Amino acid sequence: AHRVGKFGGRRFRSDRRLQPLAEICGRRIREFECQHIANIAWGFAKTEFIDQRLFRTIAAETPRRIRDFNPQDMANTAWAFATARVAAEIL
């Protein structure tokens, strides 16, 4: 999560170097704390590298842990989905 956010405002929309990171994050999503999940979503949305599978995984995990998300984490996750233009009913 921290590494993705470090890319900052750079645009990696078509840069496939982020694909392995997206795959690892998706496979390990249940190991992350809610803040990390929010940061992952935020970081990928900010870089404009939108991995649909990762976002679907986050969307599926969020309802399971909704009570553990604090308001900031929820807001960041919702922002990421809106920015990435990925639909998720829970958000």
Side-chain angles (χ1 to χ4, degrees):
H2 182 68
R3 290 285 170 224
V4 176
K6 283 288 193 181
F7 292 124
R10 296 182 190 161
R11 303 294 182 235
F12 289 86
R13 184 178 300 161
S14 60
D15 191 332
R16 303 313 299 174
R17 292 178 292 176
L18 287 178
Q19 188 62 47
L21 182 57
E23 291 172 6
I24 290 167
C25 289
R27 281 195 309 267
R28 299 183 66 187
I29 202 74
R30 290 189 175 181
E31 298 174 32
F32 298 129
E33 295 176 17
C34 294
Q35 181 180 0
H36 300 148
I37 293 170
N39 290 348
I40 290 166
W42 177 87
F44 277 98
K46 186 158 172 102
T47 62
E48 296 183 4
F49 183 86
I50 309 307
D51 182 81
Q52 293 293 322
R53 183 179 298 173
L54 174 61
F55 274 82
R56 282 192 307 268
T57 301
I58 292 170
E61 185 64 18
T62 301
R64 292 185 192 115
R65 298 173 56 184
I66 195 78
R67 292 184 176 162
D68 298 328
F69 274 78
N70 68 37
Q72 185 66 56
D73 298 339
M74 198 70 240
N76 289 349
T77 304
W79 176 90
F81 274 75
T83 298
R85 295 191 170 128
V86 175
E89 287 186 34
I90 190 69
L91 303 171

